[in-house]
């Protein structure tokens, strides 16, 4: 199934290593060739490369970062945030977060982001999906897990990290009737 609209062009610039600076030139060429007006980098690492590529391009489009986390996985990531990404993020016209909690967390950590911070909530266009499209797959999952057809099933697809608060979800659902099930999908330390 095609996931992108026909009007969307996809370009894949391969990297040889994590900090492959040849990516910058490749992205800059795409920016110029496709006459891109705004570049978005999702997460700090992508925002860094987007910012470098935009600066190298002839068009010099603005770069917006989308940050979808509040927890670094270790000291290395925390140091990268403090010493590198922080310096890039505050030079951008906007930094987008998916919820108020994330925005507030990052502003507390780096107050200089306050004027740049924007919240754009995640959303799903439910009109694109019909329950009947997933009926066979849902029936198979219920059968595999031994869940009755009449039971109500919640699912949560997210990395198992502290800020996702899976424990709160489990606790809340444990207070509901026994014919309700929760299916968790993801990976991570928790």
């Amino acid at each position: 199934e095609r996931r992108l609209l026909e009007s969307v062009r996809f370009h894949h610039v391969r990297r040889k290593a994590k900090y492959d600076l040849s990516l910058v030139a490749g992205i800059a060429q795409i920016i110029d060739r496709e006459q891109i007006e705004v570049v978005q980098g999702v997460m700090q690492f992508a925002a860094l490369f987007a910012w470098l590529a935009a600066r190298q391009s002839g068009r010099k489009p603005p770069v917006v970062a989308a940050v979808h986390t509040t927890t670094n996985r270790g000291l290395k990531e925390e140091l990268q945030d403090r010493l590198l990404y922080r310096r890039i993020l505050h030079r951008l016209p906007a930094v987008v977060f998916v919820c108020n909690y994330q925005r507030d967390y990052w502003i507390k950590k780096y107050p200089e982001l306050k004027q740049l911070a924007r919240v754009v909530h995640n959303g799903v266009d439910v009109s694109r999906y019909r329950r009947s499209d997933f009926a066979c797959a849902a029936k198979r999952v219920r059968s595999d897990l031994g869940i009755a057809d009449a039971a109500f099933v919640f699912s949560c697809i997210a990395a198992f990290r502290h800020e996702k608060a899976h424990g709160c979800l489990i606790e809340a659902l444990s207070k509901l009737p026994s014919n309700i099930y929760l299916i968790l999908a993801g990976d991570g330390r928790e």
Side-chain angles (χ1 to χ4, degrees):
E1 176 185 347
R2 185 167 175 78
R3 292 180 180 222
L4 296 175
L5 299 173
E6 292 291 331
S7 60
V8 176
R9 279 194 245 164
F10 175 78
H11 302 276
H12 183 192
V13 181
R14 295 195 185 276
R15 67 180 183 180
K16 300 172 190 103
K18 183 168 183 174
Y19 291 100
D20 179 2
L21 294 179
S22 69
L23 280 176
V24 174
I27 297 168
Q29 289 172 359
I30 293 169
I31 290 170
D32 290 337
R33 184 176 66 244
E34 299 293 330
Q35 300 181 2
I36 292 173
E37 296 179 20
V38 177
V39 179
Q40 178 183 357
V42 179
M43 300 302 285
Q44 300 92 307
F45 180 78
L48 167 66
F49 274 76
W51 180 75
L52 291 169
R55 289 179 54 99
Q56 186 174 329
S57 76
R59 296 184 61 82
K60 311 254 184 289
V63 174
V64 174
V67 179
H68 295 195
T69 189
T70 54
T71 303
N72 284 320
R73 294 184 186 145
L75 180 60
K76 179 181 173 185
E77 285 186 359
E78 185 63 33
L79 289 173
Q80 287 172 331
D81 266 355
R82 290 178 188 271
L83 301 174
L84 176 61
Y85 299 135
R86 175 185 192 179
R87 300 183 191 293
I88 301 303
L89 292 177
H90 87 273
R91 294 179 177 180
L92 305 180
V95 180
V96 177
F97 302 96
V98 297
C99 66
N100 294 334
Y101 177 82
Q102 282 181 340
R103 179 201 57 208
D104 296 347
Y105 169 87
W106 282 88
I107 289 172
K108 183 177 179 186
K109 190 173 179 178
Y110 304 126
E112 67 270 19
L113 296 179
K114 185 173 184 173
Q115 298 304 315
L116 310 174
R118 306 290 183 271
V119 173
V120 177
H121 297 281
N122 286 332
V124 175
D125 180 2
V126 295
S127 67
R128 293 184 61 198
Y129 302 97
R130 294 182 307 269
R131 186 178 177 97
S132 61
D133 292 345
F134 306 99
C136 289
K139 194 168 193 70
R140 190 170 47 253
V141 168
R142 283 176 181 272
S143 174
D144 291 349
L145 297 175
I147 299 173
D149 289 343
F152 194 88
V153 179
F154 286 94
S155 65
C156 177
I157 303 167
F160 295 120
R161 296 194 320 250
H162 176 73
E163 74 262 26
K164 300 296 183 177
H166 288 93
C168 290
L169 180 59
I170 292 168
E171 183 180 336
L173 290 179
S174 74
K175 298 177 188 311
L176 297 175
S178 61
N179 66 337
I180 294 177
Y181 291 81
L182 171 63
I183 298 175
L184 301 173
D187 63 8
R189 290 184 297 205
E190 295 186 10

